[in-house]
Amino acid sequence: MEVTIYAKDLPPGTTSNIAGAQVLPVTVYAHDAATPAFLAQFVEAARFSYRRYQLMVGEYYGIRWMPNYFMDREPLPEDGLVSKNSRIADLIPELRDLKKDEHPFPFAYVRQFDTMLVQPSIYLEAMLREFRIAGGTVLVREMHSLREVLDLPQPVIVNCTGLGAKALFNDSELTPVKGQLTFLLPQAEVEYATLPPGGLYMFPRRDGILLGGTHETGIWDLEPNREAEARIVAAHAEIFRGMRV
């Protein structure tokens, strides 16, 4: 079967190339609209992808195991994705709540677990390379209308247009969530990720320390929010200044 990918941009000129990425599904659906059938499909998809990424751990794909520390000043939820009662608890190894003398963080409640951290700049390059080796074709082309999509010569079309689906398919329910990241210089000695309260997170990529983040629903603007940047950096700095030596 011959496969062609049509893309407006390719890495490294894509947002995904600098994203924070872990093999752990979060913020992927509207909780108040989820049906039992959808949740069953969600769990099945999580298990399928988890098994696949386990086979890809290593420098070639830019995937490595890493401990995470989920922390808060209030008791951590027991009914979320990262909990013993989670539908995918078996996909979150080393999950346990730590005692105060077992961690250095300035929070009363800390939950440890392991996930696979993905560095997209390496992973996406590897995916494109393997796709082309397998005989696939990649064409840089922006679609401006549904008519352009339907006029493609391929008999089967898989829609992976993301935010572009709103205009192409008149998807009135599609809503963007703007996430802003800040990069610091890489620190090889940092081999763990943190998930403090307030939507913050820190992922240590090989090319830099990634600090997040924001979740601005309904915002299409891609211009950096300097106030958010200052807030994110200051919040992380306060946390790490408070760590016990």
Side-chain angles (χ1 to χ4, degrees):
M1 178 185 298
E2 296 183 359
V3 178
T4 300
I5 293 176
Y6 294 90
K8 178 183 176 181
D9 293 303
L10 297 177
T14 63
T15 301
S16 296
N17 202 70
I18 61 169
Q22 295 207 82
V23 183
L24 182 69
V26 293
T27 319
V28 292
Y29 59 86
H31 293 261
D32 58 350
T35 64
F38 171 84
L39 290 174
Q41 186 180 48
F42 169 79
V43 171
E44 183 179 357
R47 296 189 186 285
F48 179 88
S49 62
Y50 185 90
R51 289 192 297 269
R52 179 60 185 169
Y53 281 113
Q54 277 186 300
L55 301 176
M56 301 168 72
V57 171
E59 292 299 324
Y60 180 84
Y61 292 107
I63 301 174
R64 67 190 195 275
W65 282 100
M66 180 167 292
N68 282 242
Y69 296 96
F70 186 28
M71 55 192 75
D72 208 332
R73 296 177 178 84
E74 304 295 331
L76 295 167
E78 297 298 343
D79 58 352
L81 278 176
V82 184
S83 70
K84 293 180 180 179
N85 297 320
S86 171
R87 289 170 172 262
I88 56 170
D90 57 314
L91 305 184
I92 311 174
E94 305 300 325
L95 177 66
R96 69 186 187 96
D97 290 340
L98 301 180
K99 298 177 182 178
K100 190 172 182 179
D101 61 356
E102 292 183 299
H103 67 83
F105 303 107
F107 290 92
Y109 301 92
V110 175
R111 181 169 294 164
Q112 173 186 302
F113 60 97
D114 284 6
T115 61
M116 288 171 276
L117 183 75
V118 182
Q119 184 161 320
S121 57
I122 298 173
Y123 174 77
L124 293 173
E125 182 182 1
M127 290 292 96
L128 281 173
R129 182 168 56 248
E130 293 202 347
F131 178 74
R132 289 182 171 116
I133 290 174
T137 301
V138 180
L139 298 177
V140 177
R141 173 180 170 184
E142 182 178 1
M143 302 292 174
H144 298 91
S145 67
L146 178 57
R147 185 70 266 163
E148 287 186 54
V149 176
L150 296 177
D151 285 343
L152 293 174
Q154 286 75 22
V156 176
I157 299 171
V158 179
N159 172 25
C160 301
T161 49
L163 292 178
K166 188 176 186 70
L168 281 178
F169 300 96
N170 194 27
D171 187 346
S172 60
E173 294 185 1
L174 193 150
T175 302
V177 179
K178 180 181 179 180
Q180 181 167 303
L181 305 174
T182 299
F183 273 86
L184 306 180
L185 292 174
Q187 294 178 247
E189 68 274 18
V190 180
E191 285 291 340
Y192 60 90
T194 59
L195 301 163
L200 300 174
Y201 51 92
M202 182 280 293
F203 294 164
R205 290 175 34 154
R206 301 297 192 199
D207 57 352
I209 300 291
L210 180 155
L211 301 181
T214 63
H215 295 80
E216 299 177 85
T217 302
I219 303 299
W220 290 88
D221 180 19
L222 297 180
E223 288 299 313
N225 182 331
R226 297 305 179 188
E227 291 184 4
E229 177 185 53
R231 174 182 56 79
I232 290 168
V233 172
H236 281 286
E238 181 180 0
I239 291 170
F240 289 103
R241 278 196 301 266
M243 287 178 63
R244 297 186 300 275
V245 178

